[in-house]
């Protein structure tokens, strides 16, 4: 009887653990499509193709090339900002900095901030900004690129709206999403970096994604 | 009333950069918790708020800040006074009342060319 109870107990806990695991797995965001795959033995199955961040090439705050390889096998948080922004950017980066500090010694996570001010925010400006924010180092990369490249990757790939707008006092308008990217370049979460609740959710989700195999 | 209005104005115009508790942001944005600085520079605050700071360095809480603070030239004197009342009576500061008349006097002395 005891044996039966124990077996039953293990069985129940297995169900529980499996259920938990599935519940805490982060969703894969963005559009997806299916593709038919033919196995060597002739059987046909369907594969899901998830949206991924395409290859990119920018300059970082040290004027060195910044590509997908920089983030190989890393989870990273991406955002779009500009250094002279006094509206949402300081709030986003105050929140990002807290997360950065929490994971200072964890090599599996990185940070990537793209400037949308292609006129003023040269790599040296980004370097000064990074130093002042206290994050100058390989862990938090700042990306500088031409307008087409940065604005396209923002809107088409990270799904963040950005634009140049001469009617706004600071010339640029953008959304404050912090986008969580997994080791396979897929979007696993998008959080309003100016909203305390959503930032708290991001802080909860990071370890879940890091634990994923 | 000055204090409560000042808090709303602070939230609208200042809080993004200076933070909810006036903590600033690392070496990018100075904190508003340096009571000695606020005391010494009380008569410059109206100028800072209205015309911003650019091309100048200020030393706050033991750090040097050389960034740009945006101007807000449309802001009314009464709003500046309310803001000053709020921030000089929050974040560890307690300087009491400030009036729009005093703000008008302060603004006469601003170096607007910057």
């Amino acid at each position: 009887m005891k044996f039966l109870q124990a077996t039953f107990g293990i069985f129940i806990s297995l169900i529980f653990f499996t259920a938990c695991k599935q519940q805490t797995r982060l969703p894969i965001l963005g559009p997806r499509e299916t593709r038919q795959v033919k196995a060597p033995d002739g059987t046909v199955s369907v594969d899901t193709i998830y949206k991924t961040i395409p290859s990119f090439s920018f300059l970082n705050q040290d004027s060195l090339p910044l590509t997908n390889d920089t983030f190989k096998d890393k989870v990273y948080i991406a955002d779009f900002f500009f250094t002279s922004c006094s509206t949402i950017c300081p709030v986003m980066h105050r929140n990002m900095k807290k997360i950065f500090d929490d994971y200072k010694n964890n090599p599996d996570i990185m940070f990537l901030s793209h400037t949308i001010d292609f006129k003023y925010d040269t790599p040296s400006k980004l370097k000064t900004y990074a130093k002042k924010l206290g994050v100058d180092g390989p862990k938090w990369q700042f990306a500088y690129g031409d307008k087409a490249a940065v604005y396209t990757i923002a809107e088409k790939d990270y799904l963040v709206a950005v634009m140049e707008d001469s009617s706004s006092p600071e010339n640029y308008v953008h959304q404050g999403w912090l986008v969580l990217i997994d080791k396979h370049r897929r979007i696993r979460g998008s959080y309003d970096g100016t909203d305390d609740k959503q930032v708290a959710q991001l802080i909860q989700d990071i370890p879940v994604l890091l634990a994923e195999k | 009333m000055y204090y409560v209005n000042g808090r709303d104005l602070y939230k609208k115009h200042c809080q993004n950069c200076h933070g909810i508790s006036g903590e600033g942001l690392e070496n990018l944005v100075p904190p508003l918790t340096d009571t000695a600085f606020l005391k010494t520079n009380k008569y410059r605050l109206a100028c800072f708020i209205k015309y911003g700071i650019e091309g100048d360095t200020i030393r706050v809480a033991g750090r040097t800040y050389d960034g740009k603070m945006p101007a807000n030239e449309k802001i009314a004197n009464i709003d500046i006074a309310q803001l000053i009342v709020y921030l000089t009576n929050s974040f560890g500061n307690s300087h009491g009342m400030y009036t729009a008349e005093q703000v008008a006097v302060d603004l006469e002395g601003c170096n607007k060319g910057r």
Side-chain angles (χ1 to χ4, degrees):
Chain A
M1 193 61 196
K2 273 217 168 118
F3 172 75
L4 262 182
Q5 268 179 353
T7 325
F8 188 67
I10 290 170
F11 182 67
I12 290 290
S13 52
L14 262 179
I15 290 178
F16 259 95
F17 277 117
T18 323
C20 275
K21 242 184 182 167
Q22 275 171 349
Q23 265 177 355
T24 54
R25 197 177 153 86
L26 302 184
I28 298 170
L29 305 182
R32 61 189 60 180
E33 49 190 74
T34 52
R35 182 178 62 184
Q36 288 208 335
V37 202
K38 223 174 195 174
D41 63 5
T43 54
V44 176
S45 61
V46 175
D47 231 3
T48 309
I49 314 294
Y50 293 102
K51 160 119 204 89
T52 54
I53 303 299
S55 297
F56 57 81
S57 175
F58 298 119
L59 287 180
N60 77 357
Q61 68 266 40
D62 294 308
S63 294
L64 295 172
L66 182 66
T67 68
N68 309 74
D69 282 347
T70 317
F71 302 94
K72 197 172 181 329
D73 296 327
K74 309 277 184 190
V75 160
Y76 69 95
I77 300 171
D79 76 346
F80 294 82
F81 87 116
F82 55 106
T83 63
S84 56
C85 158
S86 64
T87 52
I88 61 173
C89 311
V91 184
M92 292 159 64
H93 280 180
R94 185 178 287 116
N95 287 325
M96 281 255 270
K97 175 73 175 16
K98 275 182 206 145
I99 300 172
F100 174 89
D101 286 340
D102 287 346
Y103 287 92
K104 219 167 207 166
N105 300 316
N106 186 330
D108 293 333
I109 181 165
M110 287 180 71
F111 299 81
L112 170 58
S113 292
H114 308 73
T115 178
I116 58 167
D117 185 352
F118 52 94
K119 289 177 187 156
Y120 177 84
D121 281 346
T122 53
S124 71
K125 290 281 188 334
L126 294 174
K127 178 84 174 172
T128 307
Y129 182 89
K131 272 189 187 161
K132 286 183 179 175
L133 189 59
V135 300
D136 183 32
K139 195 175 188 67
W140 191 330
Q141 295 284 329
F142 288 82
Y144 168 79
D146 64 39
K147 182 180 174 182
V150 174
Y151 285 43
T152 304
I153 205 167
E155 299 200 327
K156 294 237 156 50
D157 301 305
Y158 290 104
L159 312 177
V160 179
V162 300
M163 62 175 165
E164 212 181 347
D165 178 3
S166 52
S167 71
S168 102
E170 296 185 322
N171 289 322
Y172 299 93
V173 180
H174 63 111
Q175 292 181 313
W177 299 112
L178 307 181
V179 189
L180 184 60
I181 307 294
D182 71 12
K183 295 175 183 176
H184 308 287
R185 299 186 183 186
R186 299 174 304 194
I187 303 176
R188 304 302 295 274
S190 204
Y191 313 81
D192 182 344
T194 64
D195 180 312
D196 287 345
K197 273 195 192 137
Q198 294 198 31
V199 173
Q201 185 64 50
L202 168 60
I203 291 169
Q204 268 186 34
D205 287 354
I206 292 169
V208 177
L209 186 56
L210 283 173
E212 206 170 85
K213 294 263 158 63
Chain B
M1 204 59 194
Y2 269 56
Y3 184 86
V4 177
N5 288 346
R7 188 175 58 198
D8 291 343
L9 290 163
Y10 179 80
K11 200 171 177 187
K12 187 173 165 204
H13 297 294
C14 321
Q15 186 170 303
N16 284 348
C17 293
H18 289 286
I20 194 162
S21 319
E23 73 270 26
L25 181 56
E26 306 295 328
N27 286 311
L28 287 164
V29 183
L32 303 173
T33 51
D34 182 344
T35 51
F37 178 90
L38 285 188
K39 208 164 201 169
T40 324
N41 294 281
K42 195 168 179 178
Y43 302 104
R44 294 171 72 197
L45 297 180
C47 298
F48 292 163
I49 292 167
K50 184 159 185 171
Y51 298 110
I53 305 176
E54 194 175 359
D56 203 358
T57 58
I58 54 171
R59 200 155 168 82
V60 183
R63 288 173 171 181
T64 302
Y65 294 87
D66 60 1
K68 178 184 168 182
M69 170 166 158
N72 186 358
E73 299 199 23
K74 285 182 192 150
I75 194 167
N77 288 2
I78 180 69
D79 289 347
I80 298 180
Q82 291 175 341
L83 263 176
I84 293 177
V85 169
Y86 176 67
L87 59 93
T88 59
N89 292 284
S90 305
F91 321 133
N93 307 294
S94 53
H95 297 207
M97 185 56 188
Y98 214 74
T99 62
E101 287 74 28
Q102 183 59 52
V103 166
V105 174
D106 294 345
L107 290 175
E108 290 296 313
C110 296
N111 190 350
K112 297 174 200 171
R114 283 204 282 266

